[in-house]
Amino acid sequence: MKKTFVILISLTIFISCVENKKQPVAEIEDSNLENEYVEFDPIKYVSNPEKTDTLCISEINRAKDEIKTNGIAFTQEVGFLYGHNRYEKELEALCKQNGLNYEIDLIGCVVFEGQTQGCYGAYMDKVLADKYGLDFKQQMHKKADSLFLQNVIKNNLAVYYGDCDERPKLPSEKNRNSDYIPNVKVENLEIEEDKSEYGGWPFFDVGFTVERDSTINSFYINYFFEGLESNKKYKNELFELAKNHLKKNYPTWVPGIVNGTQVRTDNNVRIHLIKE
C-alpha cells in the first residue's frame, strides 16, 4: 500500500514538473549551480537558515512541533523519479523498533528563489545525528536492505526486476538494459499494422518469474497494445504465441541480483507480433 502511495506521489510530482517546464525560468550558470550544490549541507543549514528563507523556517518549526507531539521522525525524501526503496517495509519496521516514526518527506520540482525545500527532513536528520551519530541513517538503510534480502530468500519471494541491482539477463548477455525480445512472426491470424504516427504492430509486455535455477514460469500480461481495434479480438491467441516464443527460444535466464545474491525475479519483456 505504501509503495503504491509513493508511486502516486511520484506521478503527482511528474505532472507538476511537466507543467512547471512550461514556465520561463531564470538562467543560472552551470558552474555556479554545481558549486552551490556541492557546498550545501542541509543539516548544517537548518542550524542557521537565512532569515528570509521562510519556507525552510516554517518546515523547521513544523519538525520541532512534531517532535514535541509525536517524537522524532525518520524521514525518507521522495521526489520526481527518486526516493523509493525496495526495503521500505523493513526500514519502517526498524524505525518502529527504535521508537521512531517513519515518514515520507515530499520534495516538489518547483523551486522558488531563496527558499529551501526539505528542511523538515533535514532538521529531523540533525536531531537523529545528534542523538545516535552521523552515520545512523546510513546504517539503518544498510540494515534494512540486508533484512530485505533475508526475507526474500527465507520466504522465496520474487523481487520486481526494477528493484534488483542487476536485472535478469539471457546467458549470452553481459548485461541487459532493455525489455525487448526479437519479434514474433504471425502466420495464421489476420492482424494488421497501425500505420499512424504513434501506431505500430501489436505488442505485449509479458511478465514472468525467473527462478534461482534459471527456469521461467508464471507468465502473465503486464500490458497489451493492440494497435488497431481489429487486432483486439486476437489478444488471447497472440499472448499464447508470445508465451510459447519465450518458452521455446528463451527458456533460460540468469536471475536478478540483490546485494550480490541471485534471487527469484518478477521479470518483464516486450514482444512485438508482426505479420509479413
Side-chain angles (χ1 to χ4, degrees):
M1 182 68 183
K2 187 176 288 290
K3 183 174 180 179
T4 303
F5 176 62
V6 172
I7 294 172
L8 291 174
I9 289 175
S10 298
L11 288 173
T12 302
I13 295 173
F14 172 75
I15 294 171
S16 174
C17 290
V18 171
E19 290 298 319
N20 186 54
K21 286 181 180 179
K22 298 177 182 178
Q23 305 298 325
V25 295
E27 294 184 3
I28 303 174
E29 291 187 13
D30 291 341
S31 59
N32 292 339
L33 183 61
E34 183 177 348
N35 290 337
E36 182 179 346
Y37 176 79
V38 171
E39 294 171 2
F40 183 71
D41 183 343
I43 294 181
K44 183 178 179 180
Y45 182 72
V46 293
S47 298
N48 186 29
E50 294 289 340
K51 294 181 180 179
T52 55
D53 194 346
T54 55
L55 175 60
C56 183
I57 292 171
S58 68
E59 289 193 5
I60 292 172
N61 290 333
R62 180 165 65 89
K64 290 178 179 179
D65 290 340
E66 179 66 19
I67 292 171
K68 290 179 182 178
T69 305
N70 298 311
I72 307 171
F74 186 109
T75 60
Q76 172 61 42
E77 188 173 285
V78 174
F80 178 49
L81 299 181
Y82 77 91
H84 162 67
N85 293 313
R86 63 192 177 199
Y87 50 83
E88 186 174 17
K89 180 180 177 181
E90 288 77 11
L91 182 58
E92 187 172 5
L94 279 177
C95 289
K96 187 175 182 180
Q97 291 173 18
N98 284 271
L100 302 171
N101 300 313
Y102 178 80
E103 293 183 9
I104 291 174
D105 189 19
L106 180 61
I107 305 297
C109 66
V110 180
V111 179
F112 298 96
E113 186 176 356
Q115 302 297 300
T116 307
Q117 297 188 78
C119 289
Y120 176 86
Y123 187 83
M124 289 294 186
D125 288 352
K126 178 181 180 302
V127 174
L128 287 174
D130 290 342
K131 186 172 183 178
Y132 298 107
L134 289 173
D135 66 342
F136 175 72
K137 283 195 76 172
Q138 181 181 1
Q139 292 302 317
M140 286 280 282
H141 280 283
K142 186 176 181 180
K143 185 174 182 179
D145 200 22
S146 178
L147 289 172
F148 169 78
L149 179 57
Q150 290 179 33
N151 289 335
V152 165
I153 299 299
K154 178 181 177 180
N155 298 301
N156 200 32
L157 302 177
V159 179
Y160 171 62
Y161 75 99
D163 285 339
C164 293
D165 300 324
E166 295 181 33
R167 64 180 292 172
K169 61 186 178 182
L170 294 168
S172 60
E173 296 175 324
K174 184 175 181 180
N175 54 57
R176 168 166 277 264
N177 299 314
S178 170
D179 286 350
Y180 290 93
I181 288 292
N183 301 333
V184 175
K185 295 180 181 180
V186 178
E187 297 179 356
N188 300 322
L189 300 175
E190 296 304 317
I191 61 172
E192 298 180 79
E193 180 183 12
D194 180 357
K195 296 184 179 180
S196 64
E197 182 178 1
Y198 300 105
W201 289 100
F203 69 79
F204 284 98
D205 283 344
V206 181
F208 59 97
T209 300
V210 179
E211 300 291 349
R212 296 181 71 188
D213 65 1
S214 293
T215 58
I216 59 177
N217 57 56
S218 304
F219 301 87
Y220 64 94
I221 299 172
N222 265 325
Y223 177 70
F224 173 57
F225 172 77
E226 67 266 18
L228 297 175
E229 182 67 24
S230 60
N231 294 328
K232 196 171 184 178
K233 61 179 175 289
Y234 299 119
K235 179 179 178 180
N236 291 337
E237 292 95 326
L238 290 173
F239 178 61
E240 286 301 313
L241 287 174
K243 183 171 67 174
N244 291 333
H245 179 64
L246 276 172
K247 287 182 176 181
K248 179 180 178 181
N249 299 299
Y250 307 98
T252 303
W253 288 73
V254 179
I257 295 177
V258 172
N259 294 336
T261 301
Q262 291 186 345
V263 296
R264 290 185 76 227
T265 314
D266 181 14
N267 198 27
N268 182 81
V269 295
R270 176 164 292 186
I271 304 177
H272 283 82
L273 300 107
I274 64 174
K275 190 174 180 67
E276 295 183 343

mmCIF file of all heavy atoms in Angstrom, residues 163-204:
data_model
loop_
_atom_site.group_PDB
_atom_site.id
_atom_site.type_symbol
_atom_site.label_atom_id
_atom_site.label_comp_id
_atom_site.label_asym_id
_atom_site.label_seq_id
_atom_site.Cartn_x
_atom_site.Cartn_y
_atom_site.Cartn_z
ATOM 1 N N ASP A 163 13.810 -3.502 -9.007
ATOM 2 C CA ASP A 163 14.397 -3.360 -7.671
ATOM 3 C C ASP A 163 15.695 -4.136 -7.519
ATOM 4 O O ASP A 163 16.319 -4.093 -6.461
ATOM 5 C CB ASP A 163 13.399 -3.829 -6.600
ATOM 6 C CG ASP A 163 12.282 -2.826 -6.362
ATOM 7 O OD1 ASP A 163 12.483 -1.637 -6.701
ATOM 8 O OD2 ASP A 163 11.220 -3.224 -5.849
ATOM 9 N N CYS A 164 16.091 -4.852 -8.550
ATOM 10 C CA CYS A 164 17.339 -5.619 -8.486
ATOM 11 C C CYS A 164 18.534 -4.712 -8.786
ATOM 12 O O CYS A 164 18.422 -3.741 -9.539
ATOM 13 C CB CYS A 164 17.315 -6.762 -9.503
ATOM 14 S SG CYS A 164 16.096 -8.048 -9.143
ATOM 15 N N ASP A 165 19.677 -5.038 -8.209
ATOM 16 C CA ASP A 165 20.909 -4.338 -8.558
ATOM 17 C C ASP A 165 21.304 -4.666 -9.996
ATOM 18 O O ASP A 165 21.844 -3.821 -10.709
ATOM 19 C CB ASP A 165 22.041 -4.738 -7.606
ATOM 20 C CG ASP A 165 21.707 -4.408 -6.158
ATOM 21 O OD1 ASP A 165 21.051 -3.373 -5.926
ATOM 22 O OD2 ASP A 165 22.087 -5.188 -5.271
ATOM 23 N N GLU A 166 21.043 -5.901 -10.393
ATOM 24 C CA GLU A 166 21.222 -6.336 -11.778
ATOM 25 C C GLU A 166 19.972 -7.096 -12.189
ATOM 26 O O GLU A 166 19.592 -8.058 -11.536
ATOM 27 C CB GLU A 166 22.447 -7.249 -11.920
ATOM 28 C CG GLU A 166 23.778 -6.581 -11.624
ATOM 29 C CD GLU A 166 24.949 -7.525 -11.816
ATOM 30 O OE1 GLU A 166 24.873 -8.400 -12.704
ATOM 31 O OE2 GLU A 166 25.926 -7.394 -11.060
ATOM 32 N N ARG A 167 19.322 -6.636 -13.241
ATOM 33 C CA ARG A 167 18.094 -7.298 -13.687
ATOM 34 C C ARG A 167 18.422 -8.628 -14.359
ATOM 35 O O ARG A 167 19.576 -8.875 -14.749
ATOM 36 C CB ARG A 167 17.336 -6.391 -14.654
ATOM 37 C CG ARG A 167 18.079 -6.113 -15.945
ATOM 38 C CD ARG A 167 17.287 -5.213 -16.868
ATOM 39 N NE ARG A 167 16.101 -5.903 -17.366
ATOM 40 C CZ ARG A 167 15.135 -5.297 -18.076
ATOM 41 N NH1 ARG A 167 15.214 -4.004 -18.332
ATOM 42 N NH2 ARG A 167 14.103 -5.965 -18.511
ATOM 43 N N PRO A 168 17.428 -9.512 -14.518
ATOM 44 C CA PRO A 168 17.674 -10.786 -15.200
ATOM 45 C C PRO A 168 18.186 -10.557 -16.620
ATOM 46 O O PRO A 168 17.875 -9.548 -17.261
ATOM 47 C CB PRO A 168 16.292 -11.448 -15.209
ATOM 48 C CG PRO A 168 15.593 -10.868 -14.034
ATOM 49 C CD PRO A 168 16.057 -9.434 -13.973
ATOM 50 N N LYS A 169 18.961 -11.498 -17.102
ATOM 51 C CA LYS A 169 19.526 -11.405 -18.445
ATOM 52 C C LYS A 169 19.600 -12.792 -19.050
ATOM 53 O O LYS A 169 19.528 -13.811 -18.349
ATOM 54 C CB LYS A 169 20.913 -10.772 -18.398
ATOM 55 C CG LYS A 169 21.930 -11.567 -17.567
ATOM 56 C CD LYS A 169 23.246 -10.828 -17.432
ATOM 57 C CE LYS A 169 24.225 -11.618 -16.569
ATOM 58 N NZ LYS A 169 25.507 -10.904 -16.369
ATOM 59 N N LEU A 170 19.764 -12.824 -20.348
ATOM 60 C CA LEU A 170 19.963 -14.094 -21.035
ATOM 61 C C LEU A 170 21.403 -14.553 -20.834
ATOM 62 O O LEU A 170 22.296 -13.719 -20.660
ATOM 63 C CB LEU A 170 19.655 -13.925 -22.522
ATOM 64 C CG LEU A 170 18.185 -13.624 -22.843
ATOM 65 C CD1 LEU A 170 18.039 -13.190 -24.299
ATOM 66 C CD2 LEU A 170 17.303 -14.828 -22.546
ATOM 67 N N PRO A 171 21.643 -15.848 -20.852
ATOM 68 C CA PRO A 171 23.005 -16.363 -20.612
ATOM 69 C C PRO A 171 24.046 -15.787 -21.568
ATOM 70 O O PRO A 171 25.217 -15.664 -21.214
ATOM 71 C CB PRO A 171 22.840 -17.874 -20.816
ATOM 72 C CG PRO A 171 21.409 -18.139 -20.499
ATOM 73 C CD PRO A 171 20.660 -16.932 -20.983
ATOM 74 N N SER A 172 23.624 -15.422 -22.772
ATOM 75 C CA SER A 172 24.558 -14.891 -23.767
ATOM 76 C C SER A 172 24.840 -13.394 -23.575
ATOM 77 O O SER A 172 25.715 -12.837 -24.244
ATOM 78 C CB SER A 172 24.004 -15.109 -25.183
ATOM 79 O OG SER A 172 22.744 -14.449 -25.327
ATOM 80 N N GLU A 173 24.100 -12.746 -22.670
ATOM 81 C CA GLU A 173 24.232 -11.305 -22.488
ATOM 82 C C GLU A 173 25.178 -10.973 -21.334
ATOM 83 O O GLU A 173 25.128 -11.603 -20.279
ATOM 84 C CB GLU A 173 22.868 -10.676 -22.205
ATOM 85 C CG GLU A 173 21.889 -10.805 -23.357
ATOM 86 C CD GLU A 173 20.509 -10.281 -23.002
ATOM 87 O OE1 GLU A 173 20.086 -10.452 -21.831
ATOM 88 O OE2 GLU A 173 19.845 -9.719 -23.885
ATOM 89 N N LYS A 174 26.002 -9.946 -21.543
ATOM 90 C CA LYS A 174 26.857 -9.456 -20.465
ATOM 91 C C LYS A 174 26.002 -8.705 -19.457
ATOM 92 O O LYS A 174 26.178 -8.819 -18.243
ATOM 93 C CB LYS A 174 27.948 -8.550 -21.025
ATOM 94 C CG LYS A 174 28.947 -8.081 -19.982
ATOM 95 C CD LYS A 174 30.079 -7.289 -20.617
ATOM 96 C CE LYS A 174 31.089 -6.857 -19.557
ATOM 97 N NZ LYS A 174 32.211 -6.069 -20.167
ATOM 98 N N ASN A 175 25.070 -7.912 -19.952
ATOM 99 C CA ASN A 175 24.071 -7.248 -19.119
ATOM 100 C C ASN A 175 22.868 -6.950 -19.991
ATOM 101 O O ASN A 175 22.940 -7.043 -21.214
ATOM 102 C CB ASN A 175 24.631 -5.965 -18.471
ATOM 103 C CG ASN A 175 25.208 -5.021 -19.491
ATOM 104 O OD1 ASN A 175 24.540 -4.602 -20.432
ATOM 105 N ND2 ASN A 175 26.482 -4.681 -19.325
ATOM 106 N N ARG A 176 21.765 -6.589 -19.364
ATOM 107 C CA ARG A 176 20.536 -6.290 -20.116
ATOM 108 C C ARG A 176 20.002 -4.939 -19.669
ATOM 109 O O ARG A 176 19.721 -4.732 -18.481
ATOM 110 C CB ARG A 176 19.493 -7.393 -19.899
ATOM 111 C CG ARG A 176 18.098 -7.051 -20.395
ATOM 112 C CD ARG A 176 17.205 -8.276 -20.481
ATOM 113 N NE ARG A 176 17.426 -8.995 -21.735
ATOM 114 C CZ ARG A 176 16.673 -8.820 -22.829
ATOM 115 N NH1 ARG A 176 15.674 -7.963 -22.817
ATOM 116 N NH2 ARG A 176 16.917 -9.504 -23.917
ATOM 117 N N ASN A 177 19.849 -4.039 -20.625
ATOM 118 C CA ASN A 177 19.354 -2.698 -20.327
ATOM 119 C C ASN A 177 18.043 -2.390 -21.031
ATOM 120 O O ASN A 177 17.596 -1.248 -21.054
ATOM 121 C CB ASN A 177 20.407 -1.655 -20.744
ATOM 122 C CG ASN A 177 21.715 -1.826 -19.984
ATOM 123 O OD1 ASN A 177 21.703 -1.990 -18.765
ATOM 124 N ND2 ASN A 177 22.830 -1.816 -20.695
ATOM 125 N N SER A 178 17.432 -3.403 -21.606
ATOM 126 C CA SER A 178 16.210 -3.210 -22.377
ATOM 127 C C SER A 178 15.222 -4.322 -22.087
ATOM 128 O O SER A 178 15.593 -5.422 -21.686
ATOM 129 C CB SER A 178 16.542 -3.180 -23.873
ATOM 130 O OG SER A 178 15.375 -3.233 -24.660
ATOM 131 N N ASP A 179 13.930 -4.030 -22.331
ATOM 132 C CA ASP A 179 12.892 -5.044 -22.162
ATOM 133 C C ASP A 179 12.685 -5.872 -23.428
ATOM 134 O O ASP A 179 11.988 -6.886 -23.392
ATOM 135 C CB ASP A 179 11.555 -4.379 -21.800
ATOM 136 C CG ASP A 179 11.515 -3.876 -20.367
ATOM 137 O OD1 ASP A 179 12.435 -4.203 -19.601
ATOM 138 O OD2 ASP A 179 10.573 -3.148 -20.022
ATOM 139 N N TYR A 180 13.247 -5.448 -24.533
ATOM 140 C CA TYR A 180 12.873 -6.019 -25.828
ATOM 141 C C TYR A 180 13.437 -7.409 -26.088
ATOM 142 O O TYR A 180 14.565 -7.719 -25.742
ATOM 143 C CB TYR A 180 13.291 -5.075 -26.963
ATOM 144 C CG TYR A 180 12.455 -3.820 -27.002
ATOM 145 C CD1 TYR A 180 12.863 -2.673 -26.328
ATOM 146 C CD2 TYR A 180 11.245 -3.792 -27.690
ATOM 147 C CE1 TYR A 180 12.089 -1.525 -26.349
ATOM 148 C CE2 TYR A 180 10.467 -2.650 -27.722
ATOM 149 C CZ TYR A 180 10.894 -1.514 -27.043
ATOM 150 O OH TYR A 180 10.122 -0.388 -27.056
ATOM 151 N N ILE A 181 12.572 -8.214 -26.713
ATOM 152 C CA ILE A 181 12.908 -9.541 -27.225
ATOM 153 C C ILE A 181 12.560 -9.518 -28.715
ATOM 154 O O ILE A 181 11.584 -8.857 -29.110
ATOM 155 C CB ILE A 181 12.083 -10.624 -26.490
ATOM 156 C CG1 ILE A 181 12.581 -10.802 -25.063
ATOM 157 C CG2 ILE A 181 12.120 -11.949 -27.224
ATOM 158 C CD1 ILE A 181 13.959 -11.416 -24.937
ATOM 159 N N PRO A 182 13.326 -10.202 -29.575
ATOM 160 C CA PRO A 182 13.019 -10.199 -31.016
ATOM 161 C C PRO A 182 11.556 -10.507 -31.332
ATOM 162 O O PRO A 182 10.881 -11.251 -30.608
ATOM 163 C CB PRO A 182 13.960 -11.274 -31.562
ATOM 164 C CG PRO A 182 15.147 -11.217 -30.647
ATOM 165 C CD PRO A 182 14.567 -10.948 -29.284
ATOM 166 N N ASN A 183 11.078 -9.958 -32.440
ATOM 167 C CA ASN A 183 9.672 -10.059 -32.833
ATOM 168 C C ASN A 183 9.224 -11.502 -33.071
ATOM 169 O O ASN A 183 10.032 -12.381 -33.394
ATOM 170 C CB ASN A 183 9.425 -9.273 -34.127
ATOM 171 C CG ASN A 183 9.782 -7.813 -33.974
ATOM 172 O OD1 ASN A 183 9.729 -7.260 -32.874
ATOM 173 N ND2 ASN A 183 10.142 -7.176 -35.078
ATOM 174 N N VAL A 184 7.921 -11.684 -32.920
ATOM 175 C CA VAL A 184 7.291 -12.961 -33.263
ATOM 176 C C VAL A 184 6.564 -12.782 -34.597
ATOM 177 O O VAL A 184 5.795 -11.828 -34.759
ATOM 178 C CB VAL A 184 6.280 -13.396 -32.188
ATOM 179 C CG1 VAL A 184 5.553 -14.675 -32.636
ATOM 180 C CG2 VAL A 184 6.974 -13.626 -30.864
ATOM 181 N N LYS A 185 6.803 -13.675 -35.532
ATOM 182 C CA LYS A 185 6.112 -13.613 -36.816
ATOM 183 C C LYS A 185 4.793 -14.373 -36.725
ATOM 184 O O LYS A 185 4.757 -15.532 -36.316
ATOM 185 C CB LYS A 185 6.999 -14.204 -37.918
ATOM 186 C CG LYS A 185 8.266 -13.398 -38.176
ATOM 187 C CD LYS A 185 9.103 -14.025 -39.284
ATOM 188 C CE LYS A 185 10.374 -13.219 -39.513
ATOM 189 N NZ LYS A 185 11.224 -13.810 -40.584
ATOM 190 N N VAL A 186 3.726 -13.703 -37.109
ATOM 191 C CA VAL A 186 2.386 -14.280 -37.019
ATOM 192 C C VAL A 186 1.952 -14.747 -38.406
ATOM 193 O O VAL A 186 2.038 -13.993 -39.381
ATOM 194 C CB VAL A 186 1.384 -13.241 -36.471
ATOM 195 C CG1 VAL A 186 -0.013 -13.840 -36.418
ATOM 196 C CG2 VAL A 186 1.829 -12.764 -35.093
ATOM 197 N N GLU A 187 1.460 -15.987 -38.490
ATOM 198 C CA GLU A 187 1.082 -16.538 -39.789
ATOM 199 C C GLU A 187 -0.426 -16.738 -39.939
ATOM 200 O O GLU A 187 -1.005 -16.421 -40.971
ATOM 201 C CB GLU A 187 1.806 -17.872 -40.013
ATOM 202 C CG GLU A 187 3.322 -17.749 -40.078
ATOM 203 C CD GLU A 187 4.001 -19.084 -40.286
ATOM 204 O OE1 GLU A 187 3.283 -20.121 -40.296
ATOM 205 O OE2 GLU A 187 5.243 -19.105 -40.443
ATOM 206 N N ASN A 188 -1.084 -17.279 -38.935
ATOM 207 C CA ASN A 188 -2.468 -17.715 -39.094
ATOM 208 C C ASN A 188 -3.516 -16.746 -38.556
ATOM 209 O O ASN A 188 -4.700 -17.064 -38.547
ATOM 210 C CB ASN A 188 -2.652 -19.083 -38.415
ATOM 211 C CG ASN A 188 -1.756 -20.151 -39.021
ATOM 212 O OD1 ASN A 188 -1.547 -20.172 -40.228
ATOM 213 N ND2 ASN A 188 -1.226 -21.024 -38.183
ATOM 214 N N LEU A 189 -3.094 -15.590 -38.103
ATOM 215 C CA LEU A 189 -4.038 -14.587 -37.592
ATOM 216 C C LEU A 189 -3.938 -13.332 -38.449
ATOM 217 O O LEU A 189 -2.841 -12.880 -38.783
ATOM 218 C CB LEU A 189 -3.722 -14.257 -36.126
ATOM 219 C CG LEU A 189 -3.787 -15.415 -35.134
ATOM 220 C CD1 LEU A 189 -3.323 -14.960 -33.756
ATOM 221 C CD2 LEU A 189 -5.191 -16.001 -35.058
ATOM 222 N N GLU A 190 -5.078 -12.761 -38.790
ATOM 223 C CA GLU A 190 -5.106 -11.615 -39.711
ATOM 224 C C GLU A 190 -4.930 -10.292 -38.954
ATOM 225 O O GLU A 190 -5.799 -9.423 -38.978
ATOM 226 C CB GLU A 190 -6.419 -11.626 -40.503
ATOM 227 C CG GLU A 190 -6.582 -12.829 -41.413
ATOM 228 C CD GLU A 190 -5.425 -12.982 -42.398
ATOM 229 O OE1 GLU A 190 -5.001 -11.954 -42.965
ATOM 230 O OE2 GLU A 190 -4.946 -14.120 -42.574
ATOM 231 N N ILE A 191 -3.797 -10.153 -38.297
ATOM 232 C CA ILE A 191 -3.521 -8.886 -37.617
ATOM 233 C C ILE A 191 -2.999 -7.872 -38.631
ATOM 234 O O ILE A 191 -2.482 -8.227 -39.697
ATOM 235 C CB ILE A 191 -2.494 -9.057 -36.480
ATOM 236 C CG1 ILE A 191 -1.151 -9.577 -37.014
ATOM 237 C CG2 ILE A 191 -3.042 -9.975 -35.401
ATOM 238 C CD1 ILE A 191 -0.031 -9.575 -35.977
ATOM 239 N N GLU A 192 -3.144 -6.578 -38.295
ATOM 240 C CA GLU A 192 -2.708 -5.513 -39.181
ATOM 241 C C GLU A 192 -1.889 -4.485 -38.409
ATOM 242 O O GLU A 192 -2.059 -4.317 -37.196
ATOM 243 C CB GLU A 192 -3.916 -4.825 -39.833
ATOM 244 C CG GLU A 192 -4.758 -5.730 -40.717
ATOM 245 C CD GLU A 192 -5.928 -4.975 -41.328
ATOM 246 O OE1 GLU A 192 -5.710 -4.240 -42.309
ATOM 247 O OE2 GLU A 192 -7.050 -5.121 -40.805
ATOM 248 N N GLU A 193 -1.033 -3.796 -39.122
ATOM 249 C CA GLU A 193 -0.201 -2.759 -38.513
ATOM 250 C C GLU A 193 -0.948 -1.429 -38.497
ATOM 251 O O GLU A 193 -1.576 -1.040 -39.492
ATOM 252 C CB GLU A 193 1.100 -2.598 -39.299
ATOM 253 C CG GLU A 193 2.026 -1.544 -38.726
ATOM 254 C CD GLU A 193 3.282 -1.351 -39.557
ATOM 255 O OE1 GLU A 193 3.321 -1.872 -40.695
ATOM 256 O OE2 GLU A 193 4.208 -0.674 -39.078
ATOM 257 N N ASP A 194 -0.899 -0.761 -37.389
ATOM 258 C CA ASP A 194 -1.418 0.602 -37.282
ATOM 259 C C ASP A 194 -0.337 1.537 -37.825
ATOM 260 O O ASP A 194 0.723 1.692 -37.218
ATOM 261 C CB ASP A 194 -1.735 0.924 -35.817
ATOM 262 C CG ASP A 194 -2.278 2.336 -35.633
ATOM 263 O OD1 ASP A 194 -2.354 3.090 -36.626
ATOM 264 O OD2 ASP A 194 -2.609 2.692 -34.486
ATOM 265 N N LYS A 195 -0.595 2.161 -38.948
ATOM 266 C CA LYS A 195 0.427 2.966 -39.620
ATOM 267 C C LYS A 195 0.344 4.451 -39.274
ATOM 268 O O LYS A 195 0.975 5.274 -39.925
ATOM 269 C CB LYS A 195 0.328 2.766 -41.129
ATOM 270 C CG LYS A 195 0.634 1.326 -41.539
ATOM 271 C CD LYS A 195 0.642 1.150 -43.037
ATOM 272 C CE LYS A 195 0.979 -0.299 -43.403
ATOM 273 N NZ LYS A 195 1.001 -0.512 -44.881
ATOM 274 N N SER A 196 -0.396 4.776 -38.218
ATOM 275 C CA SER A 196 -0.451 6.164 -37.763
ATOM 276 C C SER A 196 0.856 6.515 -37.054
ATOM 277 O O SER A 196 1.704 5.650 -36.805
ATOM 278 C CB SER A 196 -1.633 6.378 -36.820
ATOM 279 O OG SER A 196 -1.475 5.614 -35.640
ATOM 280 N N GLU A 197 1.016 7.791 -36.692
ATOM 281 C CA GLU A 197 2.269 8.278 -36.125
ATOM 282 C C GLU A 197 2.686 7.507 -34.877
ATOM 283 O O GLU A 197 3.870 7.212 -34.673
ATOM 284 C CB GLU A 197 2.151 9.765 -35.794
ATOM 285 C CG GLU A 197 3.437 10.377 -35.249
ATOM 286 C CD GLU A 197 3.306 11.869 -34.974
ATOM 287 O OE1 GLU A 197 2.200 12.409 -35.189
ATOM 288 O OE2 GLU A 197 4.302 12.479 -34.538
ATOM 289 N N TYR A 198 1.738 7.202 -34.017
ATOM 290 C CA TYR A 198 2.056 6.508 -32.769
ATOM 291 C C TYR A 198 1.521 5.079 -32.767
ATOM 292 O O TYR A 198 1.252 4.515 -31.716
ATOM 293 C CB TYR A 198 1.489 7.284 -31.577
ATOM 294 C CG TYR A 198 2.033 8.679 -31.475
ATOM 295 C CD1 TYR A 198 1.248 9.781 -31.830
ATOM 296 C CD2 TYR A 198 3.341 8.901 -31.060
ATOM 297 C CE1 TYR A 198 1.759 11.078 -31.745
ATOM 298 C CE2 TYR A 198 3.860 10.188 -30.978
ATOM 299 C CZ TYR A 198 3.060 11.271 -31.328
ATOM 300 O OH TYR A 198 3.570 12.545 -31.244
ATOM 301 N N GLY A 199 1.394 4.519 -33.940
ATOM 302 C CA GLY A 199 0.863 3.169 -34.052
ATOM 303 C C GLY A 199 1.960 2.120 -34.069
ATOM 304 O O GLY A 199 2.958 2.219 -33.372
ATOM 305 N N GLY A 200 1.750 1.100 -34.903
ATOM 306 C CA GLY A 200 2.712 0.007 -34.991
ATOM 307 C C GLY A 200 2.013 -1.340 -34.905
ATOM 308 O O GLY A 200 0.783 -1.430 -34.892
ATOM 309 N N TRP A 201 2.824 -2.385 -34.829
ATOM 310 C CA TRP A 201 2.289 -3.726 -34.673
ATOM 311 C C TRP A 201 1.892 -3.972 -33.216
ATOM 312 O O TRP A 201 2.404 -3.302 -32.314
ATOM 313 C CB TRP A 201 3.326 -4.760 -35.091
ATOM 314 C CG TRP A 201 3.565 -4.809 -36.578
ATOM 315 C CD1 TRP A 201 4.598 -4.242 -37.259
ATOM 316 C CD2 TRP A 201 2.745 -5.454 -37.551
ATOM 317 N NE1 TRP A 201 4.488 -4.489 -38.608
ATOM 318 C CE2 TRP A 201 3.348 -5.245 -38.817
ATOM 319 C CE3 TRP A 201 1.559 -6.200 -37.492
ATOM 320 C CZ2 TRP A 201 2.821 -5.746 -40.007
ATOM 321 C CZ3 TRP A 201 1.021 -6.702 -38.672
ATOM 322 C CH2 TRP A 201 1.639 -6.480 -39.914
ATOM 323 N N PRO A 202 0.992 -4.915 -32.973
ATOM 324 C CA PRO A 202 0.633 -5.243 -31.587
ATOM 325 C C PRO A 202 1.851 -5.714 -30.799
ATOM 326 O O PRO A 202 2.777 -6.296 -31.366
ATOM 327 C CB PRO A 202 -0.385 -6.386 -31.746
ATOM 328 C CG PRO A 202 -0.910 -6.260 -33.130
ATOM 329 C CD PRO A 202 0.232 -5.724 -33.956
ATOM 330 N N PHE A 203 1.850 -5.457 -29.505
ATOM 331 C CA PHE A 203 2.926 -5.976 -28.667
ATOM 332 C C PHE A 203 2.411 -6.248 -27.264
ATOM 333 O O PHE A 203 1.410 -5.685 -26.817
ATOM 334 C CB PHE A 203 4.139 -5.038 -28.631
ATOM 335 C CG PHE A 203 3.932 -3.727 -27.919
ATOM 336 C CD1 PHE A 203 3.966 -3.646 -26.523
ATOM 337 C CD2 PHE A 203 3.719 -2.561 -28.642
ATOM 338 C CE1 PHE A 203 3.788 -2.440 -25.865
ATOM 339 C CE2 PHE A 203 3.534 -1.351 -27.991
ATOM 340 C CZ PHE A 203 3.573 -1.289 -26.608
ATOM 341 N N PHE A 204 3.128 -7.107 -26.579
ATOM 342 C CA PHE A 204 2.840 -7.424 -25.181
ATOM 343 C C PHE A 204 4.031 -7.043 -24.316
ATOM 344 O O PHE A 204 5.194 -7.214 -24.719
ATOM 345 C CB PHE A 204 2.603 -8.928 -24.980
ATOM 346 C CG PHE A 204 1.276 -9.436 -25.433
ATOM 347 C CD1 PHE A 204 1.138 -10.041 -26.674
ATOM 348 C CD2 PHE A 204 0.159 -9.316 -24.619
ATOM 349 C CE1 PHE A 204 -0.083 -10.526 -27.089
ATOM 350 C CE2 PHE A 204 -1.075 -9.793 -25.027
ATOM 351 C CZ PHE A 204 -1.197 -10.407 -26.270
#
